[in-house]
Amino acid sequence: YEEDRSLSVHIILDSSASMDFGGKTTKFDYASMLAVGYAYIALRQNEKIQFATFDEKMRNFKPARGMHQIATMIDHFNKMKPDGESHLAQGLAQYRKFIKSRSYIVLISDFLVPISEIKKSLPQFGDHEVHIIHTLDRKEVDLRMEGDLRLHDMETKGMLQTFISPKLRRGYQEKMRKHILGIEEICKQLGFNYHLVTTEKPIFDTFYDLLK
């Protein structure tokens, strides 16, 4: 956003239960670090930062300049336990009320919602410079598991007993591929910047790639 220093900066982070998935570093941990990185760069340029997290409701923080906003973000992220379902369309509609002028918006989520909801949600920010950071765990992309398994839905808390065969795994991978391409296509049509990131990559390498 160096090209337009007049843009206010908004960072919106998905805090629904599905973001708690992962090993040593969950998707929420990874996304939080990316959010803080964007905020740090903006604040170094004396931009005013406004940030929010959302699941079934939106938690919005007042815009501010100065590095104390970084401390506020880190404290909020450290205290937060991702929970609930992702109400993407509802959350973004609520947040849009806080945007008073053309802005630089960073939206970080795993986007594990129907493509129809994503298509409904993202055009709300069509007048702004938007960066979509699609954050996934590599296991979600590849489904690196086979055999008899009990799967736990982190948002609905439901359990599913299933057998993952090589055929089912290939079918899952194809659906995930189409879902990712669908989001990328929506972003392309809206003129948004789309970035797919996975948590196994070192965070500084990912952030370097995002800022290219």
Side-chain angles (χ1 to χ4, degrees):
Y1 44 84
E2 291 181 331
E3 297 176 359
D4 189 345
R5 296 295 299 278
S6 66
L7 298 184
S8 57
V9 179
H10 299 261
I11 300 171
I12 309 169
L13 176 58
D14 186 346
S15 60
S16 62
S18 67
M19 292 291 287
D20 202 30
F21 181 78
K24 184 177 180 181
T25 302
T26 67
K27 289 184 289 183
F28 184 76
D29 293 336
Y30 200 84
S32 297
M33 289 187 281
L34 292 176
V36 170
Y38 273 104
Y40 177 79
I41 289 176
L43 291 170
R44 284 291 300 270
Q45 297 178 355
N46 200 34
E47 304 285 0
K48 186 178 290 186
I49 293 295
Q50 185 161 357
F51 75 96
T53 57
F54 73 94
D55 40 64
E56 295 171 3
K57 62 180 180 179
M58 177 68 69
R59 299 170 184 84
N60 185 50
F61 289 76
K62 292 181 179 180
R65 288 189 175 90
M67 288 301 166
H68 65 277
Q69 187 76 327
I70 293 286
T72 300
M73 291 179 74
I74 293 173
D75 183 63
H76 176 63
F77 296 153
N78 284 340
K79 291 178 178 177
M80 171 163 278
K81 172 69 174 176
D83 194 24
E85 297 183 20
S86 176
H87 289 188
L88 182 67
Q90 178 182 320
L92 297 188
Q94 291 176 4
Y95 191 86
R96 199 183 192 289
K97 300 173 184 177
F98 300 107
I99 303 177
K100 305 302 182 183
S101 60
R102 188 168 186 272
S103 301
Y104 183 100
I105 298 172
V106 179
L107 174 59
I108 310 175
S109 173
D110 57 12
F111 292 100
L112 294 182
V113 295
I115 199 75
S116 58
E117 183 173 354
I118 298 170
K119 187 176 292 186
K120 174 184 175 183
S121 304
L122 296 187
Q124 298 180 77
F125 292 151
D127 297 334
H128 305 282
E129 181 176 343
V130 180
H131 289 255
I132 301 297
I133 315 299
H134 190 182
T135 306
L136 294 171
D137 188 283
R138 177 54 63 182
K139 293 177 183 176
E140 294 174 314
V141 179
D142 297 340
L143 191 62
R144 294 178 176 176
M145 54 187 75
E146 290 185 5
D148 288 305
L149 295 168
R150 293 183 68 199
L151 302 179
H152 177 218
D153 188 314
M154 300 180 74
E155 295 196 357
T156 67
K157 311 302 182 185
M159 297 294 297
L160 174 65
Q161 184 78 37
T162 188
F163 177 79
I164 299 181
S165 65
K167 181 179 179 181
L168 188 149
R169 184 169 180 259
R170 289 193 297 272
Y172 169 90
Q173 290 171 337
E174 179 61 16
K175 287 183 178 180
M176 177 59 81
R177 186 186 72 85
K178 289 182 177 179
H179 186 71
I180 291 170
L181 290 176
I183 300 171
E184 187 174 11
E185 180 60 27
I186 292 169
C187 291
K188 182 179 179 181
Q189 292 173 1
L190 292 169
F192 294 173
N193 295 282
Y194 172 84
H195 311 274
L196 175 65
V197 303
T198 50
T199 57
E200 88 284 356
K201 188 170 183 176
I203 190 72
F204 289 108
D205 291 346
T206 293
F207 201 67
Y208 176 79
D209 290 341
L210 291 174
L211 296 179
K212 284 181 179 178

